[in-house]
Amino acid sequence: SPDGKIEGVGRNNVKITGAWVWNKRFWCRNVVAGQKKFPEDCLKVNIDGSQVEFIRNKGKGDAIVYTIAN
């Protein structure tokens, strides 16, 4: 959400919570999925039309691409 909160439901109906901030040109987040806390990660974000690409480890890691739908 715009206020820096992350909330949702992941695979197998696992509750996801966390927080995010913009840090210079990276989208940094802390996430907890169920009982598992993931380490903070700062991701490079690329947007091309309806495609949004998140690249972990400040653009040096794995990429995930999402399609924005209406």
Side-chain angles (χ1 to χ4, degrees):
S1 63
D3 65 356
K5 293 180 184 175
I6 297 173
E7 298 177 319
V9 178
R11 293 182 186 140
N12 301 320
N13 289 325
V14 173
K15 182 179 178 181
I16 297 172
T17 59
W20 68 269
V21 296
W22 283 106
N23 184 350
K24 299 180 182 172
R25 60 184 187 182
F26 300 106
W27 182 75
C28 300
R29 53 96 178 128
N30 287 302
V31 175
V32 177
Q35 300 298 316
K36 183 175 182 179
K37 181 176 181 180
F38 291 88
E40 180 181 63
D41 193 8
C42 292
L43 299 90
K44 182 176 178 184
V45 180
N46 297 314
I47 300 172
D48 183 10
S50 63
Q51 301 287 307
V52 182
E53 178 184 47
F54 292 90
I55 308 171
R56 300 189 65 174
N57 193 22
K58 294 186 176 180
K60 299 174 187 166
D62 294 334
I64 302 170
V65 178
Y66 294 97
T67 301
I68 300 171
N70 293 340

